[in-house]
Amino acid sequence: MSARPLLPYGRQSIDDDDVAAVVETLRGDWLTQGPTVARFEARLAEITGARYAVAVASGTAALHVASLAAGVGPTSTGLTSTNTFVASANAIRYAGGTPGLVDIDSATGLISIAALDAKVTALAAAGQAPRVITPVDFSGSVPDLAAIRKIADRVGALVIEDAAHSLGSTYEVEGQTFRAAGCAHADLAILSFHPVKTVTTGEGGAITTNDARLYETMLELRSHGITRDPAKLLRNDGPWYYEQQSLGYHYRITDIQCALGITQLAKLERFVARRQALAARYDAAFAEADLAELVAPLEVPAGVSSAYHLYVVRLKPRAAEGLEALAARRRALFVSLRAAQIACQVHYIPVHTQPDFVRHGLADGAFPGADAYYASCLSLPMFPAMQDADVDYVVASVRTALREARS
Ligand SMILES: *Cc1c(COP(=O)(O)O)cnc(C)c1O
């Protein structure tokens, strides 16, 4: 009998039409930034509902460019969730600012609105009102962006929605439905097209916005701070002429990558529908009494339709169980599943525990929500090519592991 292949927690879906689109680009005139980048950006704007999209080399580059465009600099503070990939916080540091980490609601994994409100109030009282707030659409869920908008407006901060997990998610505000990264409640939103994300370009990212001025600034930041726009040039030496008018970066994405992005975007609805169907199958299984006692799926806030970049479950703490004991049980579950050829993951190691943040004094404060969450969370396999039988196998393996742990 052959060994069961490893089931990863996430995986790209590449079809023949994706391959053909990339090959066609390779045979064409443009490899790096050309007309396909602009076509990809137009599709992104259409799909998110934002007026403008700027495609860049990675989600991290998108966060850096967005932070700079939002005016983060050496005297600025920027706030983000501690339950995120380090890049969300690093972008504030790249721009010269100081990141402040905010605790989460352990039931949803999303930034705690109460903790954010308190932090913004304290910073403003100290004369250090944040320049940006970067909430994270963790796992595909969307935090209360309308509440975050209000808090930001109180102190003149810009909102950068980290939508790396949520392309294809929607949320409701006062009965109206909005798309993640559509920038109805954020000034800027960032996307990532890393292979584990909902659609991929290999590596890649984008920023969306409805603000023409931010858009123009980001186009320059993406490419060395250079402009060729005759209306902007201070002088004009001839048809070859360009000017560097600010310090930008080489963060361009290629036509090769964007050709893949365009064929991938055509499948977004199908990918999201499949992820939601897999999540529903997991949810139903974890609602069965013997499992519901032991584990709980991450809660999705009311009104949110998640694109389920991740499917996260949390081990339920036993009576009077401390976080260390809980974390040890989660670790044992992780190891058991790995032995059953299930490569689950933990999202995320809280940023406030990362040594580089601690060393630079960027981890101050109490994070009870994030600490409780981190001790108990586990991301189970979730990707469009997964079969229903794979979900059943994962659930059966969780059941076996937990039953063995109890006896
Ligand atoms: C993946 C990710 C990023 C960074 O994207 P890259 O394309 O890998 O640079 C940023 N934020 C979150 C929440 C992510 O998951």
Side-chain angles (χ1 to χ4, degrees), residues 58-60 63 84-85 87-88 136 162 164-165 192 194 197 203-204 348:
S58 68
T60 303
L63 281 159
T84 187
F85 184 54
S88 315
V136 178
D162 185 334
H165 295 187
S192 164
H194 180 278
K197 305 293 163 69
E203 295 280 6
Y348 284 99

Side-chain angles (χ1 to χ4, degrees), residues 224-246:
H224 309 279
I226 283 173
T227 184
R228 296 170 188 276
D229 181 351
K232 289 187 185 160
L233 297 175
L234 300 182
R235 58 167 216 269
N236 197 338
D237 297 351
W240 64 87
Y241 188 69
Y242 59 81
E243 283 175 359
Q244 178 184 333
Q245 296 187 336
S246 63

